[in-house]
Amino acid sequence: GPIVDGLGVITGGVIGNAYSVTATNSSNCSSTSAIFIIISTIKLPTPSVSISSPTVIEGTNAVFMVLIDVPSSVDTVVDVVTNTGTAGTSDYTATTTTVTIPAGQTSVTVSVLTTDDATDEPAENFTLNGTVTSGNTSNTTPFGTATINDNDATPTVSVTASIANASEPTTN
C-alpha cells in the first residue's frame, strides 16, 4: 500500500484506488483515521546542475557557484577540478575538491585563488569542470569558465638620445 510521510506526501499508491490511513501518533491529530483516493500524480522536474562563470581581477578569488535549478530531495554530490585555458597554473591555484548541495538547497560555492603577478597581459581564462557522482540530475558534467582580468599597467617605452664627446669632422 501507499506510504504517507510526515508532510502528507503519499508514495506507492495507484491512481483510482481507495486507501485507509490510521495515524500512529494520535496526540497530534484531530482524527486518527482517514480514507482517500489517489486521483492524480505529479512528476517533479529532474534538477539540472550548472556551474557559474565568474570574472575577477587577478589576485582575488574566482568564486564559482555550483547550482541546481530546482531543489532535490536527495543530496547532490559533485566532484570539481580546475583545467587550464589561456590561463596557466601559474595564474591560479589548481583545485580538486568534492562539494555537496544538501537536499532542499540549490547551491554551494567553490573559491579558486588567482595569482597577482607583475606582468601586463590580456584577460585569461580557466575552467572548473564538474562530475555529478551522487544525486538525481538531468546532466552529469557541468562546467564554468573563469575570466581573470589583468591589474597591471601597460608598460611604456622611451628612447633617450645623447651625444657624448661629439666633435665636428675636420676637413683639409
Side-chain angles (χ1 to χ4, degrees):
I3 298 171
V4 180
D5 69 12
L7 301 175
V9 176
I10 303 165
T11 58
V14 176
I15 293 175
N17 287 4
Y19 298 96
S20 173
V21 177
T22 303
T24 57
N25 182 353
S26 61
S27 64
N28 293 330
C29 300
S30 59
S31 174
T32 59
S33 64
I35 295 176
F36 64 92
I37 298 174
I38 299 175
I39 57 172
S40 69
T41 60
I42 299 172
K43 179 163 176 39
L44 299 175
T46 301
S48 176
V49 63
S50 62
I51 299 177
S52 67
S53 294
T55 298
V56 299
I57 301 295
E58 67 180 5
T60 63
N61 282 326
V63 179
F64 292 88
M65 297 289 297
V66 180
L67 309 144
I68 52 176
D69 60 347
V70 293
S72 176
S73 61
V74 297
D75 289 353
T76 302
V77 180
V78 184
D79 289 342
V80 293
V81 60
T82 51
N83 283 352
T84 59
T86 57
T89 54
S90 63
D91 295 307
Y92 64 92
T93 302
T95 302
T96 300
T97 191
T98 298
V99 295
T100 301
I101 302 171
Q105 302 294 314
T106 57
S107 67
V108 294
T109 60
V110 175
S111 293
V112 178
L113 181 61
T114 63
T115 304
D116 186 6
D117 59 26
T119 304
D120 178 51
E121 54 200 347
E124 299 174 300
N125 62 63
F126 66 95
T127 60
L128 185 69
N129 293 326
T131 303
V132 177
T133 59
S134 178
N136 181 24
T137 62
S138 61
N139 60 325
T140 57
T141 55
F143 70 93
T145 301
T147 301
I148 306 170
N149 287 323
D150 188 52
N151 65 352
D152 300 302
T154 302
T156 57
V157 176
S158 61
V159 177
T160 305
S162 66
I163 300 174
N165 298 324
S167 62
E168 292 287 325
T170 57
T171 57
N172 291 356

